Amino acid sequence: EAGFSTGGRASSSGQALPPAARWFLEVPASTRRAISLSVLILSIAARALSLLFRLHPRASTTVAQTRRRAALFTSKVSTSTEAAEEEEWQRRREPPPWARPRLPRHLRPLHYNLMLSAFMENFTFCGEVNVQLEVRNASRYIVLHAHRMHIEAVRVAEDKLAGAVRVANFFLHPPTQVFVVVLNRSLEVQRSYNLKIIYNALIENELLGFFRSSYVLHGERRFLGVTQFSPTHARKAFPCFDEPIYKATFKISIRHQATYLSLSNMPVETSVFEEDGWVTDHFSQTPLMSTYYLAWAVCNFTYRETVTKSGIVVRLYARPDAIRRGSGDYALNITRRLIEFYEDYFKVPYSLPKLDLLAVPKHPYAAMENWGLSVFVEQRILLDPSISSISYLLDVTMVIVHELCHQWFGDLVTPVWWEDVWLKEGFAHYFEFVGTDYLYPGWNMEKQRFLTDVLHEVMLLDGLASSHPVSQEVQQATDIDRVFDWIAYKKGAALIRMLANFMGHSVFQMGLQDYLTIHKYGNAARNDLWNTLSKALRKVGKFVNIQEVMDQWTLQLGYPVITILGNETTDDIIVISQERFVYDSDAKTKDPDFGDNSYLWQIPLTIAVGNTSHISSEAIIWVSNKSEHHRIPALEEASWLLGNINQTGYFRVNYDIRNWRLLINQLTRNHEVISVSNRAGLIDDAFNLARAGYLPQNIPLEIIRYLSEEKDFLPWHAASRALYPLDKLLDRTENYNIFNEFILRQVASMYLKLGWPTNNLNKSLVQASYQHEELRREVIMLACSFGNKHCHQQAATLISDWISSNRNRIPLNVRDIVYCTGVSLMDEDVWEFIWMKFHSITAVSEKKILLEALTCSDDRNLLNRLLNLSLNSEVVLDQDAIDVIIHVARNPHGRDLAWKFFREKWKILNARYGEALFMNSKLISGVTEFLNTEEELMELKNFIKTYEEGAAASFSRAVETVEANVRWQRLYKEELFQWLRKSLTH
């Protein structure tokens, strides 16, 4: 077949021949003919075997063996081919197109026709991909992504005319994960060509690309194959242009045994059944889309379905036993409602005829937003109402809201490149709260829970000198994983919330509708968003250059602390200054950028004045200089100032001590004059300003003394979260009991007031009193964690009752607290009982909290045993092993064990999680964030010298965090204990 190449060929373009080719021409003609004939026979035999292999997989040796042998052969051919091609580029003094970090721009894929055969009995697959290419610039090279596969054959043909373009040779280039086809002549500009590649690969036992997972049903282990392509793993499943800018249409066909079903982004158009028990599903063609949210799955699942008002078919696929129990019903019902919500909010209809939700046992992330086939790990979508807590329901809800938002932000409109990944992740994270408010209007997620779960959390990370801007430069594939972190998700969301608030929500919504309408089925960068939002403001007569404001927030790292100082001489004049907030002031001196005044933001500072009974309406001041004077007319001697009303801004606010004292006084006398959001904000700002040395250590502790009168959940939640890192800094110190006693005093009266929940399983899962139940849970958690005797007795009684009766009557909303407390207080038999229940129970929500409870033990032998079991995939799911190690590290009895285990097993952990976004960084920070001695700091630095391998950013954050912990111990620990001693004696 002309132009169809099954192995690298020497070039015949008149360039210098490689030594092997010169030798071939110099031998006698008869020898040449014999060699050629042998090669031809081998080639025909190989093709015949390949065909036979594809038709009869069971008659072959394993694909792994075949690939190993084939790889030996092709790598020999490829290496010499590649070397010869590289010589030519060296002469030109520029890197060859396959050695560059990004794909060359001379080709554009228009359409992919992809045919796959999945062999689930030996976990291999083979494929044929036909890519229709448009030529933008003439070139004799076709460079596209392909990784960890064996290429069998390649053909290039011009679309509209018969005849092929001869392929000189081809090779894989693993350093940049590309596949290179070298042609005998250049492809012509504005012509269209078809590239055909036949290949095979493994369905890997890992977490990325096309991988396998399993579950047990009726005592039998069953397998499924599923994909995870984001951000750069489509190239492991088929050769493709694996960058988001290369949008194309896709037509997929999957051949599999008839005992399985297959799913993809689009519905099945036709299924062709074969006599030998195989079936080929042909899926409808997709709209224009990027490779990273293409998807397919081959499984034995069953489903339930519903239909939206606009006719979109929504199905949830899961293990048959989970479907039978109704564990997917909650997710299915809210998905239908949320599609209708988003269609109404964005005024852009959902773009595909169906949406499948697939619940899989093993997955690297909570979920992935593949267009039309969103994949969820079971723990984040299956929910059994009889044994799920409110917090578990909230978790499931928000993951679904997030992934559905991506069907618009990400799938329909895709970032041009990964540096702006926050454009999709920030929006999806922000809408988690907006969408949940739609489902549960009384929960006030966007106005309240957003603060503790997003704003306060990301400010901890972004207050490190080693942080990075929300938009950061990405050059090569290895950099891409770095941008998927909480800065992109949570800071992105916090900046979007700030923007929505200063624009006004209705104008912001109108701007988003325009943005999606203009860019649908295409790509957009941040400036496209800023321009559209500026236009929306102009329509209502406001003239703000959104790009100018937001560039400072997205291109600079960190965030400001605003300091508001009263004027000594004039009551109504205040001085407002801004500087970059950072936890470790020593880190400032290490960073040369810190010395100058380059950190400046345009800050929308909302401000209000209050007194004992009243607070004024807010005014907005745009702060854009290092220091500014402002007149506040209502400011009198006895009145206080409050900045960042309802914490809509992404910054901290500090005051002079006099103003802090007035605010503390106000909270003690009548806290309700200050809004719930600002009470939570004051607590979080004060703790973090003190931790960083901007405030005396006693101020935050004086603030939380008012909590015994606080009936709202949010300030308690903010206090609990702010106390947690302080507790971990102190939990191995000799005076820890003083801190413990102080916290118990603050909690005692509210604990007595609220009591314990009763276990009424007939109640609906979502009580109207969500805020009250969450407050009670928070207070019980603090009481049990810090050793309230009644709380400990209650937990022990509930566990003992469960063991003796074998009926679990522990209230759903506090089960995790009771399990953990019971395991830490009681003997080894309780640990063994929880371990047994973890193995026998099938409900995924319960399984997770039982596993985490095992990490609460005070017995170091049990903790070591659990750590060692965590790496056994048959016992603990891959994605849960990380949580086990982190939870042991949070336990003061296990911190050094987890740290030691992490170092000893790093090679295994890095091999398992190194490529998966978040996992390594989550593990590194989880194991190291509470190390706080000079000795541990040295251990960390020495470990990094030996083993850094690819997680450099996470390790530098870890070092900075531990340095800040050590510094705090040195500078502030004694000051804190002195105040606590004095406070407890009064």
Side-chain angles (χ1 to χ4, degrees), residues 730-767:
L730 300 172
D731 66 7
R732 296 180 296 172
T733 59
E734 56 190 273
N735 294 318
Y736 177 64
N737 61 317
I738 303 171
F739 174 71
N740 209 54
E741 178 59 29
F742 175 81
I743 302 301
L744 281 177
R745 283 194 191 180
Q746 312 317 309
V747 174
S749 65
M750 191 54 76
Y751 173 73
L752 282 172
K753 247 182 245 174
L754 294 171
W756 279 67
T758 53
N759 196 17
N760 183 353
L761 290 177
N762 302 326
K763 255 186 172 180
S764 90
L765 183 61
V766 187
Q767 297 101 325

Side-chain angles (χ1 to χ4, degrees), residues 238-253:
F238 68 109
C240 57
F241 292 76
D242 200 11
E243 291 180 8
I245 194 74
Y246 291 112
K247 287 199 164 184
T249 53
F250 293 81
K251 188 96 174 61
I252 292 179
S253 303

Side-chain angles (χ1 to χ4, degrees), residues 77-241:
V77 173
S78 300
T79 310
S80 62
T81 297
E82 189 178 344
E85 292 295 335
E86 277 181 1
E87 271 177 40
E88 180 195 331
W89 286 90
Q90 277 166 4
R91 284 197 297 277
R92 294 189 196 183
R93 301 199 172 177
E94 57 178 303
W98 55 87
R100 295 166 198 170
R102 298 277 299 271
L103 290 179
R105 293 281 175 260
H106 61 273
L107 296 174
R108 185 165 76 97
L110 302 175
H111 176 74
Y112 293 81
N113 216 325
L114 177 59
M115 287 162 282
L116 300 166
S117 293
F119 307 118
M120 293 303 293
E121 74 281 20
N122 63 5
F123 306 122
T124 64
F125 70 103
C126 61
E128 179 184 303
V129 65
N130 287 274
V131 193
Q132 188 189 345
L133 299 172
E134 179 186 84
V135 181
R136 290 169 163 181
N137 301 104
S139 174
R140 48 184 283 270
Y141 299 101
I142 297 174
V143 182
L144 70 166
H145 289 108
H147 191 46
R148 287 164 61 171
M149 61 179 61
H150 169 55
I151 308 286
E152 289 180 30
V154 179
R155 183 178 192 271
V156 179
E158 197 164 340
D159 252 15
K160 300 203 169 52
L161 303 166
V165 180
R166 192 170 287 278
V167 173
N169 49 51
F170 58 77
F171 55 89
L172 286 159
H173 184 67
T176 49
Q177 303 182 352
V178 295
F179 176 59
V180 183
V181 180
V182 185
L183 303 169
N184 273 2
R185 65 174 173 85
S186 287
L187 300 177
E188 294 173 42
V189 178
Q190 293 182 336
R191 287 279 177 86
S192 177
Y193 293 85
N194 185 273
L195 168 66
K196 179 178 186 173
I197 301 172
I198 295 172
Y199 66 99
N200 60 58
L202 299 178
I203 302 172
E204 302 277 6
N205 184 22
E206 51 169 57
L207 295 161
L208 302 164
F210 184 19
F211 67 94
R212 66 184 187 262
S213 180
S214 69
Y215 58 99
V216 176
L217 187 66
H218 311 311
E220 174 199 346
R221 187 161 289 282
R222 295 192 174 186
F223 289 91
L224 61 139
V226 67
T227 59
Q228 169 57 39
F229 291 163
S230 175
T232 56
H233 305 287
R235 63 194 66 176
K236 292 177 180 171
F238 68 109
C240 57
F241 292 76

